[in-house]
Amino acid sequence: AEMRVLVGVKRVVDYAVKVRVKPDKTGVITEGVQHSMNPFDEIALEEAVKLKEKKAVTEVVAFSMGGPKCQEVLRTALAKGADKAIHIEIPDADASQLEPLHVARAMRKIIESDKFDAVFLGKQAIDDDANQTGSLLAGMMDWPQALYASKVEPDGKSLKVTREIDGGLDTIKVTLPAVLSADLRLNEPRYATLPNIMKAKKKPLEKKSAKDLGIDLAPQTKMVEVSEPPVRQAGGFVDDVPALIAKLKEKGFIKA
């Protein structure tokens, strides 16, 4: 049986970058800042490619929505094993207003026009930490969702998914088609090798606009202000427990 997987890959400020807030507090500085594939999406992609290597998946298609530079992330996805890529290109000015709802709507249109058996995403993007796209898409498609996967086992027409919860492990079974989101310990993503980067240049990358899909990108939320967290005060040292108690009393944390 054919199993086609659509994998969402978002271009985000690289996780190693120290994020700086714009002076006017409208957002964070992205100009001239290193960007890369959202780490959780990288894990989702790796899982899809692994399943393809095990012959459980027949085709892996990478999807990204955003400004022209999203193509870099899609080329990386192709170099890491995706078969083809779809870029929903929107102007950079609109990209900052993009919400999970818009991305879910776009993915829905792609799925409706070109049949997929599963959608894999990272559990959240490290820029907005919204953690919504997968759930919204599952709701729109009326598909089951297996979020925060730490282990995925294909089982005929379904997936057995293990998730880490506070008290241990939670294992669920979802019937395909389904939406899956990847947690940190699902796998260790591979590096894109030079030969694969060269091969990726020949793989198909399809461009569409939001207009082509007929989706409305009007924002539903407004960013009021982005600010730095308060600077942490330096801690102090005490020699022993009585000194600690005296200090806490002095600061008013303990009733004398």
Side-chain angles (χ1 to χ4, degrees):
E2 282 211 357
M3 181 170 164
R4 302 181 69 232
V5 180
L6 185 65
V7 183
V9 294
K10 186 177 186 181
R11 179 177 180 265
V12 299
V13 170
D14 189 89
Y15 71 91
V17 169
K18 168 98 176 75
V19 175
R20 299 198 315 277
V21 172
K22 287 181 184 172
D24 65 2
K25 298 194 168 185
T26 55
V28 300
I29 297 170
T30 53
E31 293 78 37
V33 170
Q34 170 71 32
H35 281 65
S36 55
M37 191 188 298
N38 176 43
F40 292 112
D41 295 350
E42 221 171 351
I43 294 168
L45 174 68
E46 175 65 27
E47 197 61 23
V49 172
K50 273 205 169 99
L51 291 173
K52 191 186 161 198
E53 288 166 348
K54 291 179 186 156
K55 305 274 188 281
V57 163
T58 44
E59 190 178 32
V60 176
V61 179
F63 165 101
S64 199
M65 187 171 183
K69 290 193 172 139
C70 286
Q71 280 193 48
E72 298 162 14
V73 167
L74 287 169
R75 288 276 170 221
T76 302
L78 293 169
K80 286 175 181 257
D83 299 294
K84 55 188 197 202
I86 299 169
H87 180 196
I88 310 303
E89 192 175 339
I90 56 175
D92 275 326
D94 300 342
S96 61
Q97 306 281 308
L98 207 56
E99 297 171 3
L101 181 66
H102 304 135
V103 181
R105 279 177 183 159
M107 290 189 109
R108 176 192 188 170
K109 292 283 186 189
I110 298 296
I111 296 163
E112 284 171 352
S113 66
D114 191 3
K115 194 182 160 303
F116 285 93
D117 304 283
V119 174
F120 286 13
L121 305 149
K123 68 167 180 171
Q124 67 201 76
I126 62 167
D127 52 2
D128 58 14
D129 284 317
N131 178 357
Q132 292 172 9
T133 311
S135 305
L136 286 165
L137 179 62
M140 286 174 189
M141 300 300 300
D142 199 19
W143 286 5
Q145 53 188 329
L147 308 180
Y148 323 118
S150 61
K151 190 177 180 190
V152 178
E153 298 161 277
D155 183 1
K157 287 247 178 276
S158 53
L159 294 174
K160 199 168 118 189
V161 179
T162 305
R163 298 117 53 85
E164 292 178 3
I165 54 170
D166 290 346
L169 298 175
D170 173 36
T171 304
I172 60 171
K173 195 169 174 177
V174 288
T175 310
L176 295 168
V179 176
L180 178 132
S181 81
D183 210 337
L184 192 62
R185 279 177 282 278
L186 178 55
N187 60 47
E188 190 71 47
R190 71 195 66 196
Y191 286 99
T193 62
L194 193 61
N196 286 343
I197 291 169
M198 299 314 288
K199 267 185 225 157
K201 288 183 169 37
K202 293 192 176 67
K203 289 181 178 178
L205 194 156
E206 190 186 345
K207 269 207 253 185
K208 290 175 186 282
S209 70
K211 253 198 201 73
D212 296 338
L213 298 182
I215 54 174
D216 177 16
L217 294 183
Q220 300 213 336
T221 55
K222 181 170 181 275
M223 192 66 76
V224 180
E225 183 186 304
V226 175
S227 53
E228 295 268 0
V231 178
R232 283 184 67 169
Q233 300 298 313
F237 288 95
V238 290
D239 294 326
D240 49 29
V241 174
L244 173 64
I245 291 168
K247 199 81 172 157
L248 290 172
K249 278 183 182 163
E250 183 193 314
K251 298 235 182 252
F253 293 121
I254 293 181
K255 296 265 186 291

